[in-house]
Amino acid sequence: MRRSLGALPLAVLWGGPVVLALPFLILPALDGEAWQLLLAHPQLAPGLALSLATGAAATLLALAASLLLLAGLHGSGARRSFEAASAAGLALPHLAFAIGAGFLIMPSGLLARIFVGGGEPPSWISVQDPWGLSLTLGLALKEIPFLTTAAFATLKRGEHAGALEAQCRAARSLGHGPGSAFLRVVLPQLLRQLRWPILAVFTYGATVVDMALVLGPTQPPTMSVVIWHALNDAEPAQNRMGLVGALLLTAALALAAGAAAAMLAALRRPLRRFLTGGPSALGLPRRQAMSLGLALAAVFALSVVMLLMLSVAPRWPYPALLPPGFSGAAWETLAASPNPLWLSLGLGLATSTSAIVIAILWFETQPPARDRWVVGLALASLALPQLALAAGQYRLLLGLHLSGTLAGLFLAHLTPAAAYVVLVLSGPYRGFDMRYMAAARALSASSLRAWLSVKAPLLKAPLLTAGAIGFAVSMAQFVPAQLVAAGRHSTVPMEAVTLSAGGSRPLTAAFALALAAPPLAAFLLAALLGKPRWR
Amino acid sequence: MPFAITRRSLLGLIGLAPFRTAARAEGAWQAIMKEARGQAVYFNAWAGSPQVNGYIAWAADVLKARHGITLIHVKLADTAEAVRRVREEVRAASPGSADLIWINGENFRAMKQEKLLFGPFAETLPNFALVDTAGKPTTRIDFAEPTEGLESPWGMAQLTFFGDGARLGAPPLSMPALLGFARDNPGRCSYPAPPDFHGTTFVKQVLAETIREPSLLRLSIGKAEFADAAKPLFDFLDALHPHLWREGRQFPLSQAQLTQMLADGEVEVGITFNPNEPANLVAAGTLPRTTIAWQHAGGTIGNTHFLAIPVNARAKAAAQVAADFLLSPEAQARKADLAIWGDPTVLDLAKLTAEERALFGSGDAPGAVRHPAPAIPEPHGSWVSLIEAAWLERYGA
């Protein structure tokens, strides 16, 4: 009885709205005419290939860079400052990063102005290149902070950190160098706990729209952009084609992820041989990690500086190194409507807290074997292109007369926030060494007391990080929120998207920075409060 | 009701019928005004321009003060959002969330065909009598779709080009001239990729300037005839594309991106549907004061944008009062002011009193169109999907 009660909040508040939205997706899947339209679309095959290739390449690049950073910073003093930097990078919205970094590398961008000059911009094919290279690079750079933050949350977990350190010491005493110990002891455990965040990065990268619009190729564009155009069309036939396109893309993603998992399984034996090999005197790539970390920090910092400049420069023609004039009009527009900010902050706090609570209730009451259902659901809700899932959920809430209400808005924000919280939390929570709890109970503490005084402090870092990620995700919600709000409520992203629909770069830049500020505060707070207290 | 018929024929006989209908209309409008007081109008309107948003905020203040109506601007990034929302609400029999929508073109056609619109209401609005329906036929025909009183005209649009006069010298005033300009300045021109609205309009403009039989444009067209009729169009694009930005293999995704590229100096020519947008961008500091705007000498594609009331609107009376106010000489003159918004009026200035006419200033700011060209009506709707599909087929992948 208690068991099912523990699963109830998650099932009702999060699982229900997701699962019940799915039938609205299945019906259009049977639409033969929509499939015909889609299969005849000349951009289908190249767009699909681009989406999968950019998503996969960006994931691999981000993963490789993150692992290099983690290895190089393992046990180093620079780790703490890199953690804070990661949090800052994570808080910057994708679109903001794309605009800022895009302005660095585009033909009329800052680099061309500094290094080329002349009356006309060079004919560089940098942003929107037909091969999707700038999109891949932008995605990879932007996902590194997410992967490293998730990894740090795992490594910092109170009891786990101690065990890992002991294992590393043991490996060192067996003659392994620090690099070899990281590779053979830390990395396998880390990757295991990072598998869902990695998959989330892949699905996000292969379905992203806003970044693809700024940095991605245009003829053909990625499939997500084709779908986005179709779903936004006034013609219902085009909308239906967009919906089946979204389903096809999801199926392709599942297939690709399945293939990757099968490949890893086949590699298990040779991997095991490698893991049990050694000892080797391999060192840690400290210098490489430091230079990569500094380069990353420089790119992010420059992007933010670009955004700040663009937000006050109504005009900045090539080849001027500074805008010819400054104007605060964009910031004034932003300050003129404070209500969306309060609504966004309120929703962010409410959804991230609720997400943490329902996730804890689930993990505490359900056997680990059932996790695959919630993790699967979380992945599905993130992998299904937002527009499709949001459309289904909107119809559901409309039928319940919840559209245009704050309750409906809360549920729509909880869907993605809880999905991320579940994914980020499942690894650390399930990896918790239950002997600590057994010891506490043996000292005759009640289960609540044992949880509060033993488990919660040990899991503090991952809980806070998950909360901050949930808050950031909620703050950034646009598509589902826009549908469910039905024009009766407005949040910061809604204001940002609608006001910058005219393409005003100062306004877009100002809103992007404003959107980054609250999550930045949340991440810094999580990093600060998540410090293990015995250090 | 034999008595009523008798009475009506009697009144008709003595020539009072017109007077009586006018009186009845007057009475009906008074009733609508009375009902409207205290209602809230959720006005769903594209919000991508601070100038437009500022104008709507002004209208909201006036409506509140004079008619006791609360106008709430529901900010949209894309009007299709509102169309889809109304469609879903009507299907779910849920109360409506929109009372007034800024609309035209395919969004209007979709809502009209699916019977999602309230009305006819537009042509019984008191201020509709002032609309220039003869001189601006697009005020009653929206992209070849008769409005049938289901939407009230609000403003005029016409395809316009712009660039920096200090760099361009004499602007290209026709498609062949644009081709010559692109040839002399390789990589310095582009247009948004269809099905972006502005991109499709650019291609329609090429079609209108190259087609051998212009009368075909007003008719419904089939696939087979299209291939033949559109051959000069695609011959022209084939000739133009190698000289465009990125050799015509990549295109900007939107008009906004093209405008940004112009402002950054990546291209020389921008495209807009609001003839006064360049002047407005100069005023906002986005474009230099040397900016010029022009229309092709033989005319450019033009249309009208409208206000419509969804069939499930909760405040239909107040929505009509708001639409009528936005059609008034006072509101139209303010909208046409280059310093406010610069959206050309739908009214016939000859029908206004001298006092009302004086509200409309002369448009002579930097960036304004110096020599306006005639408006070419949009081709029949059947052309659009064929153009977009053929363009995608040839240049999309």
Side-chain angles (χ1 to χ4, degrees), chain A residues 111-425:
Chain A
L111 292 179
R113 292 171 195 229
I114 294 174
F115 296 110
V116 183
E120 287 172 11
S123 52
W124 291 357
I125 302 189
S126 44
V127 295
Q128 298 188 319
D129 63 281
W131 314 280
L133 297 180
S134 43
L135 175 63
T136 304
L137 194 64
L139 269 170
L141 289 173
K142 182 65 188 81
E143 295 303 346
I144 293 172
F146 175 67
L147 285 179
T148 49
T149 304
F152 284 136
T154 304
L155 292 176
K156 269 199 310 188
R157 210 174 73 219
E159 80 333 319
H160 192 221
L164 264 183
E165 236 160 74
Q167 289 170 7
C168 279
R169 268 200 304 277
R172 297 289 298 276
S173 70
L174 289 170
H176 286 274
S180 175
F182 180 86
L183 213 58
R184 294 188 163 92
V185 175
V186 182
L187 193 61
Q189 307 187 36
L190 189 63
L191 281 180
R192 207 173 165 67
Q193 301 208 340
L194 278 184
R195 60 184 189 263
W196 301 131
I198 292 171
L199 202 50
V201 167
F202 174 55
T203 53
Y204 185 91
T207 59
V208 67
V209 173
D210 52 5
M211 238 185 164
L213 285 174
V214 177
L215 296 177
T218 68
Q219 302 301 323
T222 59
M223 182 152 174
S224 53
V225 172
V226 175
I227 293 171
W228 183 76
H229 280 303
L231 284 172
N232 274 314
D233 207 281
E235 296 266 345
Q238 284 288 315
N239 299 163
R240 288 195 292 270
M241 184 194 86
L243 220 48
V244 298
L247 295 175
L248 181 69
L249 180 58
T250 309
L253 289 183
L255 217 65
M263 212 154 71
L264 282 179
L267 281 173
R268 180 167 285 170
R269 197 178 289 259
L271 273 180
R272 167 153 301 221
R273 203 171 315 130
F274 166 79
L275 286 177
T276 52
S280 93
L282 193 64
L284 287 170
R286 288 237 187 274
R287 196 174 317 148
Q288 292 90 327
M290 283 305 282
S291 5
L292 178 64
L294 287 176
L296 274 175
V299 171
F300 273 85
L302 266 175
S303 303
V304 171
V305 171
M306 287 299 99
L307 282 172
L308 275 170
M309 301 271 286
L310 291 173
S311 75
V312 292
R315 196 167 86 85
W316 193 359
Y318 192 85
L321 287 179
L322 281 177
F326 293 94
S327 148
W331 290 99
E332 281 162 27
T333 307
L334 191 115
S337 49
N339 286 342
L341 180 64
W342 296 123
L343 182 58
S344 277
L345 287 178
L347 281 168
L349 284 174
T351 49
S352 55
T353 319
S354 314
I356 293 274
V357 171
I358 62 174
I360 290 176
L361 284 174
W362 171 274
F363 290 129
E364 285 296 330
T365 56
Q366 304 303 307
R370 287 193 195 160
D371 278 9
R372 76 179 88 135
W373 294 106
V374 282
V375 167
L377 194 59
L379 280 173
S381 72
L382 297 178
L384 282 169
Q386 270 206 336
L387 274 165
L389 185 70
Q393 205 172 54
Y394 167 64
R395 281 188 200 172
L396 179 71
L397 294 174
L398 191 64
L400 296 171
H401 287 259
L402 280 176
S403 99
T405 67
L406 283 175
L409 214 51
F410 169 77
L411 289 179
H413 280 81
L414 187 64
T415 300
Y420 271 101
V421 167
V422 164
L423 287 185
V424 174
L425 219 45

Side-chain angles (χ1 to χ4, degrees), chain B residues 226-259:
Chain B
F226 175 79
D228 189 45
K231 193 175 176 297
L233 160 69
F234 287 107
D235 286 347
F236 180 87
L237 291 181
D238 284 342
L240 177 70
H241 283 186
H243 309 295
L244 295 184
W245 179 72
R246 302 246 167 112
E247 285 147 18
R249 280 198 272 272
Q250 300 273 301
F251 292 83
L253 283 167
S254 64
Q255 183 255 352
Q257 190 190 337
L258 187 68
T259 305

